[in-house]
Amino acid sequence: MIGTMIEKIDYYLPDQVLSNTDLEKIFPEWDSSKIEKKVGIVRRHIASDNESALDMGVKAAEIVLKDYNRADIDFLIFCTQSPEYFLPSGACIIQDKLNLRKNIGAFDINLGCSGFVYMLSLADSLIKNSQAEKILLIASETYTKQINSTDKSNRTIFGDASSAIIISRSDKNKIFNYIYGTDGSGFNKLIVKKGGFACLENYDYEESEQPDEFLYMNGHDIFNFTIDVIPGLVTDCLNKNNLNLDDIDMYIFHQANKYILDFLRKKIKIPKDKFYVNLEHTGNTVSSTIPIALKQCLDKNLIKQGDKVMIVGFGVGLSWAANIIEI
């Protein structure tokens, strides 16, 4: 049997930091302590003006490839919604920047908050179908570049980051069965209307104070979607893998904001010590929230070899996915 496992994982955070105190100076009516209480975030890292998602992705990859034979990498997948170009694929550029072999596959996927789980499933399938043996996954976002400077709500939530993960063939399967979900009717709940080739008059958009070239999020509807869908997603994932809630050693959800995470944990009845929350110093980093949390749990010895971890992604799309991995 061909199995798969997470071999290495790491991440990169930009040097520039935006704290709640900084936001309070920009928005005097916005109290820094209230920001922390509402969303659970104290500071977030912000990419510099000359630092792109691709640049950050390369930096994360260089960290994970340190002391690693990069000639072993035989596939590359890059997940971002902050692409360098419409074309070519960012993964092709990254292959060259990392000096990886030329006889490898490389492509991008455009997914946000559920992106890591989907990307992992693609790597899992490629390996189990004998198309690759060691796959480099890179997730990187610079959502802050798409947020209007006057948008105090989204500026409090999102931060920039990148992560890199090596998925390898294994004699024991450590990546289990997936559950996926999509509801494209909610595409306009989290969106940047301009920037692509859409004919805007052909679509129904919600009213927004933000110009069309900036990120818009309907936080109320995103919250309702999350509490409606995610508890069932967790149950379905457990059932598909013939496991119970207590069989999981750690739950790592997409780090949307503290209010949503607290609500979901209580609704699903997950013990607090099995539910990792880390967005205090990073904010919502979109597709990198889960891999960053995984790395931190490993570094803090909160999870160990043999433990089972459920990962749950949800958000923009609307899109969601869950899986269970064994450390």
Side-chain angles (χ1 to χ4, degrees):
M1 181 190 76
I2 298 176
T4 51
M5 61 177 285
I6 294 178
E7 184 176 352
K8 289 190 72 177
I9 185 167
D10 223 309
Y11 61 90
Y12 164 81
L13 298 172
D15 292 334
Q16 184 178 342
V17 172
L18 180 68
S19 69
N20 290 351
T21 303
D22 296 329
L23 286 170
E24 190 177 49
K25 293 175 182 177
I26 299 169
F27 306 107
E29 73 282 8
W30 198 258
D31 184 82
S32 60
S33 62
K34 290 183 178 178
I35 297 173
E36 181 180 357
K37 184 177 180 180
K38 182 178 181 181
V39 297
I41 302 167
V42 174
R43 61 206 293 264
R44 65 288 293 150
H45 292 257
I46 307 297
S48 64
D49 290 343
N50 62 350
E51 187 175 40
S52 69
L54 189 146
D55 295 330
M56 296 199 311
V58 169
K59 290 174 182 176
E62 290 288 5
I63 296 170
V64 87
L65 289 170
K66 184 180 180 182
D67 301 322
Y68 194 88
N69 184 6
R70 62 187 66 197
D72 288 342
I73 300 298
D74 52 10
F75 218 103
L76 167 64
I77 304 175
F78 181 42
C79 177
T80 189
Q81 294 187 314
S82 309
E84 200 91 349
Y85 305 105
F86 282 123
L87 57 99
S89 164
C92 294
I93 301 172
I94 292 173
Q95 173 274 329
D96 179 61
K97 286 183 176 291
L98 293 177
N99 195 30
L100 300 179
R101 290 162 32 196
K102 293 183 180 179
N103 59 332
I104 69 170
F107 62 84
D108 294 359
I109 66 168
N110 178 336
L111 271 175
C113 315
S114 64
F116 174 69
V117 186
Y118 274 86
M119 182 166 55
L120 185 65
S121 74
L122 289 171
D124 186 37
S125 297
L126 285 166
I127 292 173
K128 287 177 179 174
N129 284 284
S130 300
Q131 300 301 303
E133 292 195 357
K134 293 183 181 291
I135 301 179
L136 176 62
L137 308 181
I138 300 173
S140 185
E141 290 295 354
T142 54
Y143 263 34
T144 65
K145 294 181 184 292
Q146 304 179 68
I147 298 174
N148 192 345
S149 61
T150 65
D151 185 352
K152 64 181 180 182
S153 178
N154 282 323
R155 289 190 71 181
T156 64
I157 295 171
F158 291 102
D160 299 328
S162 59
S163 54
I165 306 93
I166 297 173
I167 309 300
S168 301
R169 179 170 175 164
S170 171
D171 293 334
K172 180 182 179 182
N173 187 37
K174 295 188 176 183
I175 299 178
F176 300 167
N177 296 315
Y178 295 82
I179 296 288
Y180 309 98
T182 306
D183 181 6
S185 68
F187 81 99
N188 58 1
K189 304 301 181 183
L190 181 49
I191 190 171
V192 178
K193 299 174 189 175
K194 284 187 177 179
F197 296 109
C199 184
L200 298 186
E201 57 265 29
N202 289 345
Y203 295 91
D204 292 327
Y205 297 108
E206 299 180 348
E207 292 294 326
S208 171
E209 296 178 356
Q210 303 303 329
D212 290 346
E213 61 268 26
F214 292 109
L215 183 144
Y216 162 75
M217 180 169 68
N218 183 327
H220 177 268
D221 285 359
I222 292 288
F223 172 78
N224 286 338
F225 141 71
T226 301
I227 62 173
D228 285 345
V229 168
I230 301 309
L233 173 66
V234 170
T235 299
D236 290 345
C237 187
L238 289 170
N239 290 340
K240 191 169 185 178
N241 289 286
N242 298 312
L243 295 169
N244 298 312
L245 199 70
D246 294 339
D247 294 326
I248 305 301
D249 298 289
M250 186 64 71
Y251 290 83
I252 297 179
F253 284 27
H254 164 59
Q255 304 289 297
N257 66 61
K258 185 176 183 295
Y259 183 76
I260 287 178
L261 292 173
D262 285 347
F263 192 98
L264 286 172
R265 182 185 66 79
K266 293 172 184 176
K267 186 177 178 69
I268 302 169
K269 296 181 171 56
I270 300 172
K272 198 170 185 178
D273 62 343
K274 286 188 172 185
F275 192 81
Y276 189 68
V277 177
N278 76 326
L279 49 73
E280 182 180 5
H281 297 295
T282 57
N284 180 340
T285 58
V286 198
S287 53
S288 281
T289 65
I290 294 174
I292 290 174
L294 267 173
K295 172 62 174 173
Q296 291 180 352
C297 282
L298 288 166
D299 289 345
K300 295 176 181 179
N301 295 316
L302 296 176
I303 51 178
K304 60 187 183 302
Q305 187 173 357
D307 281 355
K308 292 181 177 63
V309 180
M310 179 180 284
I311 55 175
V312 180
F314 52 87
V316 58
L318 300 169
S319 173
W320 58 95
N323 184 32
I324 296 165
I325 58 176
E326 182 180 320
I327 301 303

